[in-house]
Amino acid sequence: MTKLLNLDGLTGPNHNYAGLALGNLASKQHQGESSSPRAAALQGLEKMWRLHQLGIPQGIIPPQTRPDLALLYAAGFRGSPEQLLQQAWKRAPRLLEACYSASAMWAANSATVTASVDSQDARLQLTPANLISSLHRSRESADNGLFFRRCFASSNYFHHHPPLPAQASFADEGAANHCRLSDPNSDQALNLFIYGREESAEHTARYPARQSRLACESILRSHQLKGGRSLLIRQNPEAINHGAFHNDVVAVGFRNLLLLHQQAFASQPDLLGEIRKACQTWQSPLYIFEVSNDELTLDEAVSSYLFNAQLVPISENEIMMLAPEECREHPKALQVCQRILDEDNPVSDIEFIDLRQSMNNGGGPACLRLAIPITEQELTQVHPGIMMSEPLYSELQLWICAHYRDRLTREALLDPQLISEIETALESLSKILKLPGLYDH
Ligand code: SUG
């Protein structure tokens, strides 16, 4: 049977608010504010610890090396690291900000992963996302690939695919636009691949649609998904216009539960019929919980991040919903939470978690983790150094407090001391996770 492994991106010491993500309203809204890398990393670590306590296998993806000086070099700047920063600050400040982004923490965008049981190849399939829709995120892809190949090393169990071509036709944002529904009582499953734009269609949206149909189709083919196990779905352009830059801002699904906003998908009523039909031979019923616009508008869905809650299996048929603290403070979102609890569906409990540092950049609970459908046997093959345990939790707390600044302002990005602080921190972390030289190219 397939179980769940979550891999969370640990926030880097360079976490900051530069407003780099177009169409991501929180990122824009908090642009220029000072951040707290220490609080961000501790908040993310608490979430991983909570999942571990709930008995879910939980792993860690270490932060990537930043600042990305190679990007400044590629842009023609030359000199010592300090000179590179100084020149970029004067001539290309947005580039300097891009090379300092900590966006690799949103692991839901790191890759698309499909289960071995869903594939004719009978191995777990991984494709790192090319993330080409934004400059700062496009720089994550290569190191994500290195991480996955290193930690999922056995070619008997894992099939690694290269990222899709780095071109707009193949724009891919990973698992934020993929969702695996599955029957808790059998190995049946349905993979939903959700795209924002098609080559042929005219682009009329206010914000960029980051996931292309071609990317979804390409992954579906290369992962050799068995017939009847996947469905291509178009995001509602209206949702993107309201700030749902990834589908996981308006819909979340796990096992036999799909929780979504009424305006998440294009032609939603027909589509839900198709999903129901694809799952009708399952032993357990499929629950679709749709939230109407009257209950919660798209704007409210985006500001509360209700649909970015993480759905956590706590028993064979029960799910706990781990929602952002913002939902508790939002009367209408809270009312929806109550209805979820009251009605007949697998959700038996809802917890709220403070992830404000990440939320201010548009990253909620589900953004921070990559959900991997994995078998018991495959799990034994994952690099053990990244797996959460009580000693690792304590060690990471100490490590964060020793190496992370409490405050980071925009001006601090010019401080050459910050470069060496990050370097020292990441070197020490690679020893803790037993991954020396992980991101050495
Ligand atoms: O790609 N924010 C990320 C947030 C990603 C959230 N992930 C999911 N929904 N799965 C993004 O928009 C902001 C970085 C900055 O402004 O510095 C940023 O990249």
Side-chain angles (χ1 to χ4, degrees):
M1 269 302 252
T2 300
K3 56 193 290 180
L4 172 69
L5 161 68
N6 280 317
L7 293 184
D8 275 53
L10 189 59
T11 310
N14 46 310
H15 159 67
N16 69 95
Y17 298 122
L20 296 172
L22 186 59
N24 170 343
L25 305 181
S27 154
K28 189 82 212 146
Q29 189 187 336
H30 295 278
Q31 177 172 0
E33 287 178 10
S34 70
S35 61
S36 175
R38 188 185 300 163
L42 290 172
Q43 287 168 1
L45 181 63
E46 277 314 302
K47 178 165 88 75
M48 297 188 224
W49 179 237
R50 183 70 194 116
L51 269 286
H52 173 80
Q53 284 177 318
L54 289 164
I56 313 297
Q58 175 68 53
I60 293 160
I61 305 181
Q64 299 188 356
T65 314
R66 296 290 182 270
D68 181 1
L69 295 178
L71 183 61
L72 299 184
Y73 208 82
F77 294 109
R78 296 291 182 269
S80 65
E82 197 174 341
Q83 287 166 332
L84 292 179
L85 297 184
Q86 290 284 352
Q87 292 171 41
W89 177 265
K90 277 194 214 119
R91 309 229 182 91
R94 289 308 267 167
L95 201 59
L96 175 63
E97 285 164 336
C99 85
Y100 250 118
S101 175
S103 54
M105 69 202 229
W106 297 297
N109 302 115
S110 62
T112 303
V113 184
T114 55
S116 49
V117 69
D118 297 347
S119 172
Q120 282 160 7
D121 178 55
R123 289 181 289 173
L124 187 95
Q125 311 283 313
L126 300 104
T127 301
N130 59 26
L131 290 163
I132 57 101
S133 294
S134 46
L135 174 64
H136 67 295
R137 301 226 59 182
S138 67
R139 307 293 291 176
E140 297 165 33
S141 191
D143 282 357
N144 282 332
L146 286 178
F147 171 82
F148 290 118
R149 282 174 192 272
R150 182 89 171 263
C151 293
F152 295 73
S154 167
S155 56
N156 290 331
Y157 293 96
F158 308 122
H159 188 161
H160 295 273
H161 301 269
L164 296 172
Q167 203 277 332
S169 301
F170 284 100
D172 177 24
E173 300 267 321
N177 295 293
H178 167 250
C179 151
R180 182 177 191 263
L181 300 172
S182 64
D183 182 358
N185 296 306
S186 77
D187 259 335
Q188 299 208 70
L190 182 69
N191 290 274
L192 309 181
F193 287 90
I194 304 117
Y195 61 90
R197 70 183 156 86
E198 299 185 71
E199 279 301 278
S200 52
E202 208 182 314
H203 182 72
T204 50
R206 187 176 344 153
Y207 297 127
R210 296 198 202 174
Q211 183 78 21
S212 74
R213 180 180 171 122
L214 181 60
C216 292
E217 289 171 337
S218 307
I219 292 171
L220 208 151
R221 281 191 282 264
S222 64
H223 287 205
Q224 298 176 58
L225 291 186
K226 293 175 183 166
R229 289 209 173 219
S230 57
L231 210 55
L232 267 178
I233 295 174
R234 178 153 187 244
Q235 245 187 306
N236 183 347
E238 216 31 53
I240 301 174
N241 278 346
H242 281 81
F245 52 97
H246 291 135
N247 178 68
D248 65 6
V249 175
V250 281
V252 57
F254 178 69
R255 279 192 182 160
N256 56 336
L257 172 66
L258 177 62
L259 173 63
L260 81 173
H261 190 271
Q262 183 189 8
Q263 289 176 287
F265 301 147
S267 316
Q268 190 150 308
D270 292 346
L271 200 102
L272 295 184
E274 265 186 74
I275 295 177
R276 280 204 179 88
K277 198 163 155 218
C279 304
Q280 69 189 5
T281 58
W282 290 9
Q283 289 175 24
S284 308
L286 174 74
Y287 293 89
I288 297 181
F289 190 101
E290 204 179 5
V291 177
S292 72
N293 213 30
D294 290 343
E295 262 185 299
L296 199 69
T297 63
L298 272 176
D299 289 339
E300 290 163 340
V302 172
S303 64
S304 66
Y305 257 44
L306 172 71
F307 298 96
N308 204 259
Q310 222 172 305
L311 300 178
V312 185
I314 48 170
S315 77
E316 259 175 43
N317 291 302
E318 283 173 315
I319 287 174
M320 191 269 265
M321 205 171 129
L322 190 58
E325 186 62 38
E326 282 73 0
C327 291
R328 188 175 12 212
E329 294 160 7
H330 193 293
K332 287 176 81 180
L334 194 61
Q335 234 172 356
V336 177
C337 288
Q338 194 52 52
R339 184 165 81 84
I340 294 172
L341 284 174
D342 291 345
E343 285 186 14
D344 176 33
N345 62 56
V347 178
S348 58
D349 193 12
I350 300 182
E351 284 186 16
F352 299 93
I353 188 156
D354 178 5
L355 292 167
R356 216 165 297 266
Q357 284 289 322
S358 167
M359 285 284 287
N360 288 351
N361 248 339
C367 302
L368 286 161
R369 67 90 180 89
L370 180 66
I372 301 191
I374 198 164
T375 64
E376 206 66 70
Q377 185 63 28
E378 288 160 356
L379 189 57
T380 65
Q381 302 297 311
V382 177
H383 172 61
I386 59 164
M387 296 306 294
M388 182 53 75
S389 63
E390 197 163 349
L392 182 59
Y393 170 59
S394 311
E395 201 168 0
L396 288 176
Q397 276 181 320
L398 293 175
W399 172 80
I400 292 166
C401 293
H403 293 282
Y404 281 54
R405 293 191 185 188
D406 183 40
R407 286 273 138 221
L408 206 59
T409 57
R410 186 166 181 266
E411 286 65 38
L413 305 187
L414 256 191
D415 176 3
Q417 178 71 26
L418 185 60
I419 303 183
S420 53
E421 276 173 35
I422 298 173
E423 219 172 80
T424 311
L426 297 190
E427 233 177 78
S428 149
L429 180 64
S430 69
K431 289 191 189 113
I432 296 174
L433 302 179
K434 302 186 178 56
L435 284 170
L438 170 64
Y439 296 137
D440 291 351
H441 288 269

